[in-house]
Amino acid sequence: RMSRHARKLRDHDTNPCVAETDATTKCMNDNNYNKDLCTDYFLKYKNCRTFWHEIMMQRKRSGVRPEMPSAEERKKILESMG
């Protein structure tokens, strides 16, 4: 049984980078926790977090609630960017 915090991290509406987290974890597991072999995955995760953090801060400054767009909203944002 997962803790509330763990469930929140797995929730696509609150965590926009679940896929990147999973890919990084899989890479680490597959490569005996050799970080050097998973650099690309760490970079993708970092870029994901940075991108969505900026979106969240823009929304917060504009008074938009919720600050983190839902999974469906994020999909539309990404599609509009090409």
Side-chain angles (χ1 to χ4, degrees):
R1 189 168 139 85
M2 281 195 281
S3 70
R4 189 168 27 154
H5 179 69
R7 278 196 309 274
K8 188 176 178 184
L9 290 176
R10 301 296 312 155
D11 183 348
H12 289 272
D13 277 331
T14 56
N15 181 359
C17 302
V18 172
E20 289 79 1
T21 301
D22 290 349
T24 303
T25 302
K26 183 181 181 332
C27 180
M28 290 292 283
N29 288 336
D30 292 351
N31 290 291
N32 204 25
Y33 293 87
N34 182 342
K35 284 185 177 182
D36 296 336
L37 298 175
C38 300
T39 306
D40 289 346
Y41 292 97
F42 285 112
L43 189 59
K44 286 177 186 172
Y45 172 78
K46 183 180 177 188
N47 290 340
C48 178
R49 297 295 305 172
T50 300
F51 176 80
W52 289 112
H53 180 74
E54 286 299 316
I55 297 284
M56 200 170 75
M57 296 313 293
Q58 285 174 3
R59 288 169 64 105
K60 186 175 187 172
R61 283 191 292 275
S62 301
V64 177
R65 295 273 180 207
E67 291 162 4
M68 178 57 72
S70 68
E72 192 58 40
E73 236 182 309
R74 289 194 310 269
K75 185 178 174 186
K76 290 175 184 168
I77 290 169
L78 292 173
E79 285 170 357
S80 73
M81 297 174 72

